[in-house]
Amino acid sequence: MAGLNKDTPTPQDITVHSASKVLEIAFSDGQCFRIPFELMRVYSPSAEVQGHGPGQETLQTGKRDVGIVALESVGNYAVQPTFSDGHESGIFAWDYLYFLGSQQAELWNDYLQRLQAAGVDRDATMPEKGGHACGSH
């Protein structure tokens, strides 16, 4: 999802609402979405969340209160948020933000089902990452 397709609606306005923890984004086709930061964080397009292929996804938990502390432009096709939990590697292309906004209900349902299948709730603490390299801890 490069966000460079000529048919992809482009943002006309983007507002970070820190208090309500939503990204409000108005697109050129007239659609306007209020995407919760939690949804963005648990569906971050980063390899840390999505893995490097099917079946390598990492289920995100404990993100209910995550905030966005910075939002940087990436060329003319995306933004890169820095989340309050330190996550900053996801690049959100316009088409991916449109997807998140337009499919919120389905994505929330899928997320809740994956949590239930894993036997955790959305407020559970993320497990520590294993396999420290180079002796760092």
Side-chain angles (χ1 to χ4, degrees):
M1 293 189 188
L4 300 176
N5 180 323
K6 66 180 179 66
D7 297 323
T8 298
T10 55
Q12 304 300 295
D13 191 36
I14 299 175
T15 305
V16 175
H17 293 284
S18 297
S20 58
K21 298 186 184 318
V22 296
L23 182 76
E24 184 174 355
I25 184 165
F27 283 93
S28 57
D29 67 351
Q31 291 291 323
C32 185
F33 304 112
R34 292 176 57 86
I35 307 169
F37 297 165
E38 181 183 11
L39 183 75
M40 291 177 65
R41 180 61 182 85
V42 302
Y43 281 102
S44 172
S46 70
E48 177 185 329
V49 174
Q50 299 297 327
H52 293 285
Q56 295 183 359
E57 302 85 2
T58 300
L59 181 62
Q60 302 295 300
T61 58
K63 306 304 179 191
R64 183 188 305 257
D65 293 321
V66 74
I68 290 180
V69 297
L71 189 68
E72 301 294 328
S73 294
V74 178
N76 292 318
Y77 69 94
V79 290
Q80 185 171 17
T82 299
F83 291 93
S84 59
D85 66 352
H87 181 71
E88 60 184 6
S89 60
I91 296 176
F92 290 75
W94 305 146
D95 56 350
Y96 193 64
L97 285 168
Y98 196 95
F99 167 74
L100 289 177
S102 65
Q103 302 298 311
Q104 281 186 61
E106 294 86 351
L107 292 169
W108 274 121
N109 187 46
D110 178 66
Y111 176 56
L112 295 175
Q113 288 178 359
R114 289 185 295 130
L115 288 170
Q116 184 176 20
V120 296
D121 70 28
R122 63 191 260 222
D123 294 316
T125 303
M126 286 289 296
E128 290 293 319
K129 295 177 187 172
H132 295 287
C134 302
S136 62
H137 297 280

